[in-house]
Amino acid sequence: MLPKLVVLSGPLKDSTIPLPEGEVSIGRDPSNTIAITDPSVSRKHCVLRWQNGSLQVRDLESRNGTLVNGHGVEERALQHGDEISIGNSNLVILLEEGADQPPASGVEFEEGHVTAETTVIHPRDVIYLQPDRLLRELPATSRVARNLNALLKISRVVHAIRDLDELQGQLLDLIFEVVPAGRGAILLADREGHQFNSLFARVRQPGQNQLVRVSRTIARQVLEQGIGILGSDVPGSTGLREIESVAASSVRSLLCIPLTVFNQVFGCIYLDSTSLASRLLEEHLQLVTAIAGISAVALDNARRLQWLEQENQRLTLEITQDRSLVGESERMKEIYQLLARAAPTDSTVLIVGESGTGKELAARALHRNSPRARKAFVAINCAAIPETLLESDLFGHERGAFTGAVGLKKGRLEVADGGVVFLDEIGELTPAMQVKLLRVLQEREFERVGGTHPIKVDIRLIAATNTNLEEAVRNGGFRQDLYYRLAVVKLAMPGLREHKEDIPMLARHFVQKHAKHCKGKPRPISREAMACLMNYDWPGNVRELENAIERALVMGVSEMVLPEDLPESLLERTPSADMSEATYHVAVKELKKQLILNAVEQTNGSYADAARILGVHPNYLHRLIRNLEMKEILKEAIRDVSPRSLSRLSGGNA
């Protein structure tokens, strides 16, 4: 078998890629053997190659790393079924032939109608579901005893299997042991019961044609009415023999039984036979209906479990995508290297940087690539919780510790046992809380509010702040010993203006992210809009950029993101010499300048009076003058006004 990759998620989702001999490179650059257009994938991300008889994966120092079964690797031998995560793409490696079980057959629907010549049955008429009636018949026939043994065997098997495909395959094989059907299928409907979205078929002899044709009319009637249907003589039935699929397959007899849970039909079991000597009779209708009653719950549970696993995988990938650092600048590469070195350890990390630079994303990256990745990540904003509640929130409390403490409550540190605690805005802690946190860092233990016994916890602590803790230590606002405990590893997140080369990648990332939230498709960013983004200083950093992109997607009406879709503050900056600006925005900017100039001249240099004439807040007028770089122009225009006005203007009003 030629090795292959099956892509579960990402830009190449649902693709199956054969792996040729030699080295296979994977990355964002089109020159790779497998090119993935994803900003979270490096240009040269990883390679696959055969070495000493085994397939190896080697990471090429990618910024987000290469994961195998959820663990970051530099180089590793791959096994059949291993899952490789590259950026937002998940790929499964297949090295072996298919499972020992025969492959599932295909299903094809044909239209037709059902006549009164068929036999129908309600579950209440099935003797195998009526213990008293069954006991009366048991001594009279060995067939009932044989069928009871088959039901017991099926009951034991189906409730021990969790995988949906394996369960359906085993169930059809067991049915073939007691029912003379040549082909069978299990059809499961969607949540609304409108369409069959899960089709599994099997033939008695694996060498036969694997396609099982099912009459959609019969299946729909069983699904909608909740009745079992038996056609023991298809050629003699006017209605059934007119169904093209049944006639083409030379079907002699067939039956279809509903699968019901909590009085809700969610699927059916279909069987047919092409042999005149092996006809399906009413006794088989009774038996398969009982089998359906036994296996329905197991099938429904397996289907729900499969959906939950798929949904969990989807949500995990979505969260990972939304909470990943993005950027390929030299500054960001330094951050990735520091994260890679710090992640495998349990050392306390202090992340510093301005608001909006991605401090929590860095903390989550540390957690995601650490041995604690499968444990809890508990984030606490020290500035958002009132001082009176923070201690109880962190450490928990005993019953009766204070008014309103009606029961024991575990604190977040206790909940995070085994995982990571992220303390954001650590500089806002009060001196009393700093002392208690110092004890947690030193001893890894604490006491609940109102408690008398210490509680041991195994946690890794990551803290973040946008304030200068060193200055706070010098001023006496922050404990020096706590600072040294926190800053074992110190990571400084750069402001966006320090790595502007990442703005195009970040902007495209946010377009992809928020296009889904805004119920639209991703739109390209025009050259003029990108010039505005690149020319802005971003005091709010990456968070401000994300908000600007989201606003553009909400407000924009064209096929591209244009400058007029961006916040006004971005448009008030003069573009750099190598960036052009749209004529419309040049005209708007000149009009603003002229209005401000006229108002200031009219008021003899009084900005407060000028703001009143213009109908804007004085602070906003000052910002406009600063962003439009009009301070010198205004000084020149009013140099002949009274010394008092000129003095006020020169004193920093602009």
Side-chain angles (χ1 to χ4, degrees):
M1 170 185 173
L2 186 66
K4 63 184 69 173
L5 286 172
V6 177
V7 186
L8 302 179
S9 60
L12 303 179
K13 181 180 179 182
D14 298 330
S15 302
T16 300
I17 305 171
L19 295 178
E21 295 182 358
E23 188 172 274
V24 176
S25 63
I26 303 176
R28 199 174 73 252
D29 195 282
S31 63
N32 288 284
T33 311
I34 301 175
I36 303 176
T37 54
D38 180 350
S40 61
V41 175
S42 297
R43 288 189 175 86
K44 297 291 185 179
H45 201 102
C46 65
V47 294
L48 303 176
R49 62 181 180 183
W50 288 96
Q51 184 175 346
N52 299 327
S54 67
L55 186 63
Q56 305 275 336
V57 60
R58 180 165 61 87
D59 183 71
L60 299 177
E61 298 183 357
S62 60
R63 67 178 185 279
N64 289 328
T66 301
L67 281 67
V68 176
N69 299 327
H71 299 286
V73 299
E74 293 183 358
E75 186 167 2
R76 172 173 166 170
L78 295 173
Q79 305 292 329
H80 176 74
D82 279 350
E83 184 172 318
I84 307 172
S85 297
I86 301 172
N88 298 320
S89 299
N90 276 29
L91 311 93
V92 174
I93 183 75
L94 300 181
L95 301 175
E96 303 173 3
E97 295 289 346
D100 294 335
Q101 292 188 1
S105 303
V107 174
E108 180 178 290
F109 282 109
E110 292 289 343
E111 305 297 339
H113 62 278
V114 180
T115 67
E117 299 171 42
T118 59
T119 303
V120 301
I121 190 171
H122 285 276
R124 62 175 178 269
D125 300 325
V126 179
I127 62 173
Y128 294 101
L129 301 180
Q130 303 175 53
D132 294 338
R133 182 178 173 188
L134 188 59
L135 288 174
R136 290 196 300 270
E137 289 209 22
L138 188 57
T141 173
S142 61
R143 173 178 56 83
V144 176
R146 183 199 65 200
N147 291 343
L148 274 176
N149 184 56
L151 290 175
L152 179 60
K153 182 179 180 181
I154 289 173
S155 177
R156 288 175 175 172
V157 170
V158 299
H159 290 95
I161 300 174
R162 298 175 62 185
D163 181 74
L164 181 60
D165 286 345
E166 182 183 357
L167 175 59
Q168 292 177 117
Q170 288 274 15
L171 182 58
L172 288 174
D173 286 344
L174 291 171
I175 289 175
F176 288 152
E177 291 182 8
V178 292
V179 177
R183 305 181 307 175
I186 296 177
L187 318 174
L188 305 181
D190 56 24
R191 291 178 176 273
E192 291 76 25
H194 298 153
Q195 300 291 334
F196 291 105
N197 64 349
S198 175
L199 311 173
F200 187 96
R202 176 83 40 98
V203 296
R204 182 184 289 271
Q205 300 296 332
Q208 297 176 352
N209 181 9
Q210 299 296 302
L211 182 64
V212 177
R213 296 188 174 184
V214 178
S215 167
R216 189 185 300 273
T217 304
I218 294 176
R220 290 296 308 172
Q221 183 175 349
V222 170
L223 186 66
E224 292 171 0
Q225 299 180 15
I227 57 173
I229 294 177
L230 168 68
S232 57
D233 184 14
V234 172
S237 170
T238 305
L240 293 177
R241 73 185 181 200
E242 291 179 354
I243 299 176
E244 184 178 346
S245 61
V246 174
S249 302
S250 303
V251 174
R252 296 285 182 174
S253 56
L254 61 82
L255 61 82
C256 192
I257 305 298
L259 292 164
T260 306
V261 173
F262 300 123
N263 297 321
Q264 187 75 30
V265 181
F266 69 92
C268 58
I269 298 176
Y270 171 86
L271 301 168
D272 68 26
S273 174
T274 58
S275 171
L276 186 61
S278 302
R279 292 172 56 195
L280 300 177
L281 306 173
E282 186 171 352
E283 65 178 89
H284 302 127
L285 178 67
Q286 293 267 353
L287 179 59
V288 177
T289 304
I291 292 173
I294 290 173
S295 58
V297 172
L299 286 167
D300 188 50
N301 287 342
R303 182 179 65 157
R304 290 176 183 273
L305 180 62
Q306 183 185 70
W307 180 85
L308 287 172
E309 289 175 343
Q310 292 172 348
E311 186 69 3
N312 180 61
Q313 184 182 48
R314 182 188 69 80
L315 292 173
T316 300
L317 289 173
E318 186 174 306
I319 291 171
T320 302
Q321 179 180 3
D322 289 348
R323 296 179 174 178
S324 296
L325 291 167
V326 176
E328 289 188 341
S329 64
E330 290 302 319
R331 194 72 179 84
M332 290 304 297
K333 286 180 180 178
E334 294 174 7
I335 297 297
Y336 299 142
Q337 292 171 1
L338 287 171
L339 290 173
R341 289 198 292 269
T345 72
D346 275 341
S347 299
T348 303
V349 179
L350 176 62
I351 306 173
V352 299
E354 299 174 8
S355 179
T357 52
K359 296 187 291 296
E360 183 171 346
L361 294 182
R364 290 185 180 275
L366 286 169
H367 171 247
R368 190 166 55 247
N369 295 287
S370 74
R372 299 174 182 264
R374 296 187 179 275
K375 299 293 184 178
F377 178 90
V378 178
I380 304 165
N381 190 321
C382 301
I385 304 173
E387 178 185 347
T388 54
L389 300 178
L390 183 58
E391 183 177 3
S392 174
D393 194 64
L394 280 175
F395 305 128
H397 61 252
E398 300 285 350
R399 179 180 180 182
F402 49 83
T403 303
V406 295
L408 182 147
K409 176 195 170 186
K410 289 185 178 181
R412 296 203 195 186
L413 295 180
E414 196 170 349
V415 171
D417 189 25
V420 172
V421 173
F422 174 60
L423 295 178
D424 199 6
E425 305 295 349
I426 191 76
E428 302 298 323
L429 285 180
T430 63
M433 283 301 300
Q434 292 178 32
V435 173
K436 294 183 178 182
L437 181 60
L438 180 61
R439 173 172 172 79
V440 173
L441 288 172
Q442 290 175 332
E443 308 296 338
R444 289 297 193 269
E445 70 176 27
F446 60 90
E447 294 178 1
R448 297 193 187 104
V449 177
T452 57
H453 301 290
I455 298 172
K456 286 280 188 181
V457 287
D458 173 24
I459 59 172
R460 181 184 190 179
L461 194 133
I462 302 174
T465 181
N466 60 7
T467 61
N468 189 333
L469 288 188
E470 294 177 346
E471 184 177 344
V473 169
R474 289 193 295 269
N475 297 335
F478 200 84
R479 292 182 63 95
Q480 187 178 48
D481 47 3
L482 177 58
Y483 172 75
Y484 291 138
R485 285 284 183 180
L486 291 172
V488 175
V489 177
K490 189 174 179 180
L491 179 65
M493 298 298 295
L496 185 54
R497 59 188 169 277
E498 299 177 39
H499 57 111
K500 282 191 172 184
E501 57 268 43
D502 288 325
I503 288 178
M505 178 182 290
L506 284 163
R508 287 189 289 268
H509 170 74
F510 292 137
V511 166
Q512 294 284 341
K513 173 182 175 180
H514 289 290
K516 295 183 293 184
H517 299 167
C518 299
K519 309 298 182 184
K521 61 180 181 180
R523 289 184 284 158
I525 301 174
S526 69
R527 186 172 182 271
E528 293 81 5
M530 187 62 75
C532 294
L533 297 178
M534 294 294 291
N535 189 52
Y536 188 57
D537 283 339
W538 299 108
N541 296 298
V542 180
R543 184 183 292 121
E544 185 182 3
L545 173 62
E546 180 175 5
N547 293 340
I549 295 297
E550 184 176 6
R551 179 193 186 279
L553 294 176
V554 172
M555 302 301 294
V557 294
S558 63
E559 293 298 317
M560 300 181 71
V561 174
L562 301 175
E564 52 261 37
D565 302 330
L566 298 171
E568 186 176 329
S569 58
L570 273 69
L571 308 180
E572 293 164 356
R573 297 285 296 174
T574 302
S576 57
D578 58 340
M579 293 185 182
S580 63
E581 189 173 18
T583 305
Y584 167 78
H585 297 290
V586 172
V588 170
K589 189 177 297 182
E590 291 303 320
L591 179 59
K592 287 181 180 179
K593 287 182 177 181
Q594 190 60 49
L595 289 172
I596 294 171
L597 181 60
N598 292 342
V600 173
E601 287 179 340
Q602 184 178 342
T603 60
N604 295 324
S606 172
Y607 286 179
D609 293 340
R612 190 159 43 250
I613 291 174
L614 293 170
V616 298
H617 193 279
N619 290 343
Y620 180 66
L621 178 59
H622 289 309
R623 184 163 67 89
L624 278 174
I625 293 171
R626 182 172 61 252
N627 290 340
L628 294 172
E629 298 179 354
M630 292 185 64
K631 185 174 180 179
E632 295 301 324
I633 297 175
L634 293 177
K635 281 184 180 181
E636 181 70 22
I638 61 173
R639 60 185 174 182
D640 295 329
V641 300
S642 67
R644 180 181 176 185
S645 299
L646 183 57
S647 175
R648 182 172 65 249
L649 178 63
S650 303
N653 284 339

